[in-house]
Amino acid sequence: MDDHLLGWLRTLDEDRLCRILANRPDAIAAPWPRRLDTLAQRLGNGFAAMEALRSLPLPCLQLAETCLVTRQATPDRLASFLGASVEELSPWLDHLYDHALAWPGGDGVIHLAEAVSRWWTAPLGLGEPLDHYLNSWTISGDTLRALARNLGLPPHANKRRTITRVSEALGDPAHLETLLAHAPGGTRALLGAFAWDGPARDVEGTRFVTSGAPEQWSADHGLLYRPSWNVAEMPREVALCLRGPGYHPPFAPQPPEIATIPVDPEEVDHLMTLAAPHVVERCAALLDNTSKTPLPLLKTGGVGVREVRRVAKETGCDEDETRLLLEICAVSRLLAWDEPAGGMVPTERFDRWRLDEGSARLRVLLSAWWRMERSSLRRVDGKYGTVLGDDQTGSAVARVRRAVLSVLLHLPSGTAFADRAGLVANVHWHAPLLDHDLLAECAAAVIDEARLLGLLANDALTDLGRALAGLSGRAGDESDDSVPLVEHDPVLVEASTRALASVRRSALFGPDLTAVVTGPPSAELAALLDRVAERESRGAASVWRFTTESVRRALDRGYDADELLEELAGVGVIPQPLEYLVRDVARRHGEVTVTTVGCVVQASDPSLLAEIAGHRRLARLGMRLLAPTVLVASSGAERTLAALREHGYSPVPVADTGEIAIRRTRAEEPPSGKLILLPGGQVAELPEPADLEAPHVIAEPTPDPQEHARRLIADSRSAGEQAGRTWAVIGRMATRLPTAQQSLLGFVVDRGVRAGITLTGGLTATISHGELRGGALDAWCEEAGDYLEFPLAEIVEVKGAH
């Protein structure tokens, strides 16, 4: 824990502390801290601080980086170094303060969180301070005195004073310029390369031991240091002197402008109402297709291109749309690997999903896309990645997606971006820690995916896109099994309901055997028409045509004529030609029958076959006499052979060529054990049926920062000093516990460890983060999800919890 951070937290008012807690929800996650020292520990956590750093715009990072190379950094010194005014720096410094990544000390010096300080190995391209090199164990006293003489300084017996004088000399631009006036030719070019493109560079080691070489001269005068034979580094002070007094680190307080063009809001809204129902409808069609034909996976993981194209053709989807929806369905747990089926099939969640109203189904898909850690339409070297394949970029892709839509959210209403390069530059300003190459690759894919999902139209965010873009901090992770808060956000609920308000649930049937839907069809209507007719067009109006083949296809799936006509009559008025077509196809349906046969049994003696066909114990083989010398069995050849032999007959197998196929039996080889791999190279397992039937678990709501800020300030004012009396109080009050268990209870108080306790009535609880309040232990109870008081005198057992 940083003492400077704790001291600063104690000076804050409720409003500033509330802003910190709002920006750092990790600090008040359960069990929420009740003391400022506990809060300081959480705020100083390296991983949490880095997550907070990722959310900051470019000026904050530029200020933090500049602080690292400025001695005793104050706002005035930072402003002077950056060539800006204090007023320009103030809002961005406050932004750092509000995330507890930096804070001002009592003397005005800015302190940075340890995780922030570790982020830059060479801030501003500068090396370590001179003290780092001069205090190294590789620098002997004789070497240090020789360096002082080379710089024209009187050698001093005191090492510390010698280091101080050398540092002052090398940090003085005038002194350095005087030195360089007597340097060998080529020294300025050598040092300039280190100053601007350093601080560490590969060198030729022999040049540092060659008399008269610029490298040797620079090393003898403390301008370069070699940590290894072929690598040299330049100290920070030397590089700053060489860059000159006119050098100012980059500072961009304003984001790059995005060129915009006006768009018609009504047209954007209309395109949203066309795209959103289409997504739900096509997703249902895709999942229905995989329920009939499981989607196999490649051995290396993911779905092959051939399978993607097959599904696209059979469902009438575009190939890009199929790629996107397959991955969304997998993330939303509507599609998963099933070992018996040998492929990806719909889960029981799909059965529940298809029963929900359309807007709820849409939100499930949007929420999955919002947290998805792959980019379906991203091209690398001109090629798409494997659908559901392993993507090494992982969560960075999700951050790119949220960053792009967050920037589009701030464009003025009724405008669209006109330049994709300008959009990428603006996104990078808002999220500078995103890899720039990845951002450039994924930005185009994010835009295309958002357009397919109805979030973007004419390069402007729709109402649906605006509702989703405002939830960048609540997306959740791809692996979350709980329902993210995104699905239940009231703004998104309203937008999704309006996006699907124009869906059509009826069709116009024409005498030319067509069905026209004047608007986006509902998923149920589209599924019905897709079963019975061929879709000819999509868009503002969708057209299906009934043909003999399409009606026969529906009959092949188990429908009869009356059932089909009844369902069609439920969505429109059926003309006479359509009824005639359905009944005519149904009348001819089944003229030819096809029977599945397990094997054929032949013999030259008709009486022998008649005996076999009438054998009661062979009835399970499903024997039927087709001709006096031909029997067919529903069972396979191997089972039929075994049964006939068991009952005293002597059959032999015959190959497809008609030859007797008796072969010497070989010992069966054990299975190879080869596994079909899922994304990431692992075999996925479906949850247990009990888990699948369980309802969705709603994610925990975000804690209230204002309430916690008020509690922290009140508790910090009222809390008395507890240090040193923990053991005395526990020893005096927890008399039912042996000494070892009293010690463990003390660690719950002093160190916040977890432990399981049992009370006199048999009640058990798992506790942590305890405080002593009179004769009770006030601790976080995991079962209750809150802080509870447990009387010390009633605790009968304490044991470790892992």
Side-chain angles (χ1 to χ4, degrees):
M1 180 181 62
D2 194 311
D3 291 337
H4 293 290
L5 173 58
L6 177 58
W8 177 64
L9 290 175
R10 286 172 173 160
T11 66
L12 300 183
D13 58 20
E14 185 178 314
D15 289 339
R16 171 55 69 87
L17 188 57
C18 176
R19 291 200 298 272
I20 292 175
L21 298 181
N23 291 322
R24 296 287 301 274
D26 55 282
I28 50 175
W32 54 269
R34 295 185 296 183
R35 298 195 304 262
L36 290 177
D37 56 346
T38 309
L39 176 64
Q41 288 179 344
R42 290 200 180 185
L43 293 173
N45 179 272
F47 292 105
M50 282 309 306
E51 283 301 313
L53 193 65
R54 294 181 191 279
S55 66
L56 298 184
L58 184 61
C60 293
L61 270 68
Q62 290 174 330
L63 281 176
E65 189 176 10
T66 306
C67 282
L68 292 174
V69 299
T70 305
R71 288 185 180 274
Q72 299 295 306
T74 62
D76 289 335
R77 289 173 183 166
L78 287 177
S80 175
F81 189 23
L82 291 168
S85 65
V86 175
E87 289 72 20
E88 288 179 292
L89 269 60
S90 294
W92 303 112
L93 283 174
D94 285 338
H95 210 52
L96 282 169
Y97 300 161
D98 288 344
H99 285 76
L101 299 176
W103 54 90
D107 54 357
V109 175
I110 299 170
H111 300 271
L112 292 179
E114 184 180 355
V116 177
S117 301
R118 289 200 305 265
W119 175 255
W120 288 277
T121 55
L124 299 179
L126 299 171
E128 299 287 347
L130 269 165
D131 286 353
H132 171 79
Y133 300 100
L134 297 178
N135 283 306
S136 171
W137 62 271
T138 59
I139 303 294
S140 64
D142 292 339
T143 304
L144 192 58
R145 285 188 289 272
L147 174 60
R149 284 193 295 270
N150 291 337
L151 294 175
L153 303 173
H156 198 281
N158 186 291
K159 181 178 180 181
R160 170 48 53 192
R161 184 168 297 181
T162 302
I163 290 175
T164 301
R165 289 183 175 180
V166 169
S167 299
E168 291 174 352
L170 292 178
D172 181 6
H175 191 95
L176 186 58
E177 184 61 31
T178 303
L179 279 178
L180 292 175
H182 302 89
T187 302
R188 287 183 182 273
L190 171 70
L191 296 178
F194 275 91
W196 294 102
D197 301 321
R201 292 173 61 87
D202 293 335
V203 294
E204 186 179 344
T206 56
R207 300 279 296 171
F208 283 82
V209 293
T210 301
S211 179
E215 289 82 356
Q216 186 198 41
W217 186 90
S218 299
D220 289 344
H221 290 78
L223 305 180
L224 294 178
Y225 294 85
R226 281 193 306 160
S228 62
W229 179 256
N230 290 322
V231 175
E233 298 177 358
M234 176 175 282
R236 180 178 300 172
E237 293 86 346
V238 176
L240 286 174
C241 285
L242 291 172
R243 291 183 182 183
Y247 166 73
H248 298 291
F251 181 61
Q254 298 298 325
E257 289 190 10
I258 302 177
T260 59
I261 55 175
V263 292
D264 183 2
E266 292 186 0
E267 183 180 358
V268 171
D269 188 69
H270 174 65
L271 292 174
M272 175 189 71
T273 60
L274 292 179
H278 179 77
V279 169
V280 178
E281 171 216 328
R282 290 297 86 195
C283 192
L286 183 148
L287 289 166
D288 281 332
N289 180 273
T290 55
S291 67
K292 299 179 182 69
T293 306
L295 199 62
L297 299 180
L298 302 172
K299 293 181 180 180
T300 54
V303 180
V305 175
R306 184 178 301 176
E307 285 298 319
V308 172
R309 290 174 178 169
R310 176 189 65 78
V311 173
K313 181 179 180 181
E314 293 179 1
T315 58
C317 284
D318 179 78
E319 188 175 332
D320 287 352
E321 191 175 28
T322 303
R323 298 175 61 87
L324 175 62
L325 292 182
L326 279 175
E327 298 205 330
I328 288 177
C329 288
V331 174
S332 58
R333 307 294 194 271
L334 300 176
L335 190 67
W337 171 260
D338 183 57
E339 188 69 36
M344 303 283 284
V345 297
T347 65
E348 291 191 15
R349 288 187 181 181
F350 169 59
D351 297 330
R352 294 193 296 269
W353 176 82
R354 72 190 312 170
L355 296 177
D356 282 340
E357 61 177 2
S359 60
R361 282 181 275 175
L362 177 62
R363 293 195 301 275
V364 169
L365 302 178
L366 295 181
S367 174
W369 179 75
W370 199 226
R371 65 183 189 273
M372 189 169 74
E373 296 180 358
R374 287 181 298 278
S375 179
S376 305
L377 304 184
R378 171 188 169 203
R379 292 179 181 269
V380 179
D381 297 330
K383 297 180 180 179
Y384 285 136
T386 304
V387 175
L388 293 176
D390 190 17
D391 193 337
Q392 299 298 326
T393 51
S395 59
V397 173
R399 287 196 291 269
V400 168
R401 181 181 300 118
R402 296 165 200 161
V404 171
L405 261 67
S406 296
V407 166
L408 292 176
L409 177 63
H410 291 92
L411 292 182
S413 180
T415 62
F417 72 91
D419 178 24
R420 189 169 292 182
L423 173 64
V424 171
N426 190 283
V427 172
H428 193 258
W429 185 91
H430 283 92
L433 292 187
L434 287 175
D435 182 82
H436 193 273
D437 293 336
L438 178 67
L439 173 60
E441 283 180 358
C442 289
V446 169
I447 292 169
D448 293 340
E449 292 170 11
R451 188 178 292 115
L452 288 174
L453 295 174
L455 305 172
L456 199 70
N458 291 342
D459 291 333
L461 278 184
T462 64
D463 288 345
L464 200 59
R466 289 183 175 277
L468 189 64
L471 303 173
S472 58
R474 300 163 59 183
D477 297 328
E478 185 179 274
S479 58
D480 284 348
D481 283 328
S482 61
V483 176
L485 295 176
V486 170
E487 293 182 20
H488 302 278
D489 180 74
V491 178
L492 185 61
V493 169
E494 181 182 353
S496 61
T497 301
R498 200 166 65 80
L500 295 178
S502 61
V503 295
R504 299 290 185 264
R505 292 176 171 80
S506 62
L508 300 174
F509 296 104
D512 58 347
L513 300 179
T514 60
V516 179
V517 180
T518 57
S522 68
E524 294 77 11
L525 176 60
L528 170 61
L529 296 177
D530 282 340
R531 285 196 299 267
V532 192
E534 303 285 354
R535 190 185 297 229
E536 289 188 341
S537 67
R538 304 174 186 272
S542 301
V543 179
W544 282 262
R545 182 171 297 279
F546 295 89
T547 64
T548 301
E549 291 76 13
S550 66
V551 174
R552 186 176 63 237
R553 184 176 64 237
L555 297 175
D556 290 340
R557 292 175 179 170
Y559 290 88
D560 59 34
D562 292 336
E563 187 179 2
L564 273 181
L565 291 172
E566 182 182 354
E567 290 193 17
L568 291 173
V571 296
V573 180
I574 300 177
Q576 197 173 54
L578 177 56
E579 183 177 357
Y580 284 167
L581 173 67
V582 173
R583 295 198 180 280
D584 183 59
V585 174
R587 184 170 52 255
R588 291 183 287 114
H589 191 257
E591 290 178 338
V592 178
T593 61
V594 177
T595 302
T596 300
V597 176
C599 65
V600 178
V601 181
Q602 293 177 291
S604 57
D605 185 358
S607 61
L608 177 59
L609 286 186
E611 177 188 336
I612 293 174
H615 201 299
R616 294 179 60 184
R617 294 188 178 181
L618 295 176
R620 66 181 186 276
L621 298 178
M623 297 282 194
R624 288 186 294 123
L625 197 62
L626 294 185
T629 58
V630 180
L631 274 175
V632 292
S634 59
S635 301
E638 291 185 5
R639 184 182 176 190
T640 303
L641 281 168
L644 290 173
R645 287 167 179 165
E646 181 183 351
H647 291 87
Y649 299 99
S650 303
V652 293
V654 176
D656 294 339
T657 59
E659 299 178 353
I660 294 177
I662 296 179
R663 298 287 185 271
R664 181 175 297 175
T665 304
R666 296 183 179 179
E668 293 186 2
E669 296 182 0
S672 62
K674 187 178 293 184
L675 299 177
I676 297 178
L677 302 180
L678 286 180
Q682 297 180 350
V683 177
E685 296 181 0
L686 284 175
E688 295 296 328
D691 295 337
L692 286 173
E693 294 172 2
H696 288 302
V697 178
I698 306 299
E700 288 291 332
T702 305
D704 181 19
Q706 190 76 43
E707 177 187 354
H708 286 304
R710 192 177 302 115
R711 285 179 180 177
L712 280 165
I713 292 178
D715 287 353
S716 64
R717 289 172 180 170
S718 62
E721 290 295 327
Q722 180 175 293
R725 67 185 188 93
T726 300
W727 309 103
V729 172
I730 291 176
R732 187 174 69 254
M733 303 296 295
T735 55
R736 297 174 182 267
L737 298 176
T739 304
Q741 294 185 19
Q742 288 180 348
S743 299
L744 179 56
L745 200 60
F747 287 132
V748 173
V749 176
D750 286 351
R751 301 184 185 178
V753 302
R754 295 174 68 239
I757 63 171
T758 304
L759 302 178
T760 52
L763 177 69
T764 62
T766 305
I767 62 170
S768 61
H769 300 84
E771 287 186 356
L772 295 176
R773 296 186 183 276
L777 174 65
D778 189 0
W780 177 264
C781 176
E782 295 184 6
E783 289 77 9
D786 201 353
Y787 285 96
L788 300 178
E789 287 193 358
F790 302 94
L792 289 171
E794 295 183 14
I795 301 176
V796 297
E797 184 183 15
V798 181
K799 56 185 179 180
H802 303 286

